[in-house]
Every structure is written in structure tokens, then in C-alpha cells.
Amino acid sequence: LEKCLTGYTGLCWPAEGMGGSVKLPVVQGGEWPSHVRFVGDLVFKSDLLRDAYVKSKYIGRGNGFREDDPQACLIAQPCKQVRPRKITDAHHPACGELGLFAAKRLPANSYVLDYVGLVTRAEEASPSSEYVMMLGDEGELAIDAEFVGNEARCINDFRNTGKTVNVKLELREDPKGSKHQSVYVGSRDIQKGEELLLSYGKAYWRERVGHDMDAFILKRPTAAGTPSIASANGALPRSRTGKRSK
């Protein structure tokens, strides 16, 4: 009844004849990555669903989808507030990859969508994945959107774009008591067509470019909001590494 993704037999797409179909996001200038399972909620490693502490603190009365549960795909609906787009600007550090853009004006401090993926214990998170986000007050769980996720996995880091951070991540609890790592708009409105940009954090970049962050940052926003190029020599470093494919 299921068609498993190559290289990760635990994550499966619903096959035909299961009473539903997967609705993938429309990607402007491209398509949803074929290796990524589009889901509508967090999916948990099976052992976490048997952990009373995890169920009580993070799942509450929610669904708690198992990693191989096809219903996580069948309930998925593309977010109407945002749209993934293939970036074609040669000066953008993620040129050729996907970014996430506002499909309409997003009011300041408003909720946009959840960051979803495969939930594991933090110490079991994949060391090779660049889509890992901590979950919980103490970061005891991890959400990995490398092979399973939603549009939130397309949000780029603001560094070297010449723009500033305009969204943030906050822990959200839904009415059923389930915890989510959620994307919220920052202190100003985001206009239709504007790219959503996060800060991945200095620790993320130090692991990839070393401790000299000033040498890494070649393009900065100016007071007027236009990009300032600190160095015109060489190409801008990508906000995603070459190994990463959205």
C-alpha cells in the first residue's frame, strides 16, 4: 500500500487507491523536491510515541503521527500565505535553489506556518542534515525536514542577501496541547512577493565557515535598505552548502 522513498525506508508516500491524494505546493519556476515527503504535521519516530513523557509534553491530545503513517501526507494542505519559488537572482546566495515568498501581505507578529518534519530525540538527529531544528524549551527533541517537511524548509538565512531578518521561530501550543516550532512575522509587515528570511544562528554558520564571520559576510543591508557589497572579489558564499538540495 505504500511507496517508500529511496534511501529512507521509514518514510512513505501514500500510494494510489488509499482514498486520498497528496496535494503538493505549487513552486514558482520549479517543482516540489521529489525526495521530500510533503506532510501537514509533525511525524514522530515510533519509539517517541511510546514515551509517556514525550506524549504528555509534546503531543498532548493531538494526533502524534507515526513516521510511516500515510495520513500525515493525506491531511497536508499547501499554505495559502506563502509560496516556494526558485531563486533566479544571480546575486542571491541561494540562486538556483528554493526560497519562500509571501503570497499576500503578512501582518507584523502574525502566525505564518509550522516548521514540520521527522521528530527524533536531539541526540539522534542526523549529523549530515542541514534541516534540523530543535524542539522544546530545553531542545530535547529535534525536527528534521531533510526528507519530510513542508514549505517552511524553504526559508533561507538572511546573510549575504543584503536584507534583514523578517520572520522568527517561536514555540507554539495548539488547543490540543501539541507543541510546534512555528514561523511568525517579525516586527514589521511582510509585503506580497517579499522573501521570508530567518537567522540560522551564528553557531550554524561557524560550523560551516569557521569563526571569522566578518570575512564570510560580503553583502550587508545599508540604512537605506539597499545592499552594500563589502567585497567585490569572488562569488558570494551560498546560504546553503553545495550538498544541500531543496
Side-chain angles (χ1 to χ4, degrees), residues 32-229:
W32 186 254
S34 60
H35 66 282
V36 179
R37 174 188 177 202
F38 182 63
V39 295
D41 204 345
L42 296 171
V43 293
F44 290 79
K45 293 286 288 184
S46 298
D47 65 303
L48 290 180
L49 294 178
R50 296 190 295 269
D51 187 312
Y53 170 78
V54 171
K55 289 184 67 176
S56 173
K57 183 174 181 179
Y58 292 100
I59 301 174
R61 301 183 309 280
N63 291 310
F65 289 109
R66 198 177 61 247
E67 59 185 308
D68 58 352
D69 188 345
Q71 288 300 317
C73 290
L74 297 179
I75 69 162
Q77 294 287 335
C79 179
K80 295 181 179 179
Q81 300 199 92
V82 292
R83 176 166 291 184
R85 180 192 304 174
K86 185 175 182 179
I87 296 172
T88 57
D89 180 0
H91 298 290
H92 195 295
C95 182
E97 301 180 15
L98 300 186
L100 195 61
F101 294 78
K104 61 180 182 179
R105 185 183 67 84
L106 304 177
N109 302 307
S110 62
Y111 166 80
V112 183
L113 77 170
D114 294 331
Y115 189 95
V116 303
L118 177 67
V119 182
T120 67
R121 301 183 195 280
E123 62 270 20
E124 297 173 348
S126 170
S128 62
S129 173
E130 295 185 355
Y131 292 88
V132 175
M133 189 76 62
M134 294 298 105
L135 175 65
D137 298 325
E138 301 176 2
E140 53 198 331
L141 300 181
I143 306 170
D144 187 356
E146 182 175 14
F147 296 113
V148 53
N150 64 356
E151 299 97 329
R153 72 187 300 280
C154 301
I155 301 177
N156 286 309
D157 185 86
F158 78 101
R159 291 171 176 82
N160 284 327
T161 64
K163 300 176 182 178
T164 56
V165 171
N166 56 13
V167 293
K168 56 190 175 182
L169 288 167
E170 293 184 358
L171 193 64
R172 178 180 71 87
E173 183 174 330
D174 69 21
K176 292 185 177 181
S178 297
K179 302 291 197 308
H180 303 270
Q181 193 66 272
S182 302
V183 179
Y184 286 84
V185 178
S187 59
R188 67 167 181 83
D189 293 359
I190 296 177
Q191 301 305 315
K192 180 179 179 179
E194 187 177 350
E195 184 177 8
L196 277 62
L197 295 168
L198 270 172
S199 172
Y200 291 177
K202 291 183 178 180
Y204 174 94
W205 287 112
R206 286 194 180 111
E207 290 180 359
R208 290 153 178 81
V209 302
H211 289 276
D212 192 353
M213 293 291 291
D214 287 336
F216 164 64
I217 304 298
L218 301 181
K219 184 191 288 187
R220 302 175 186 273
T222 65
T226 56
S228 171
I229 306 298

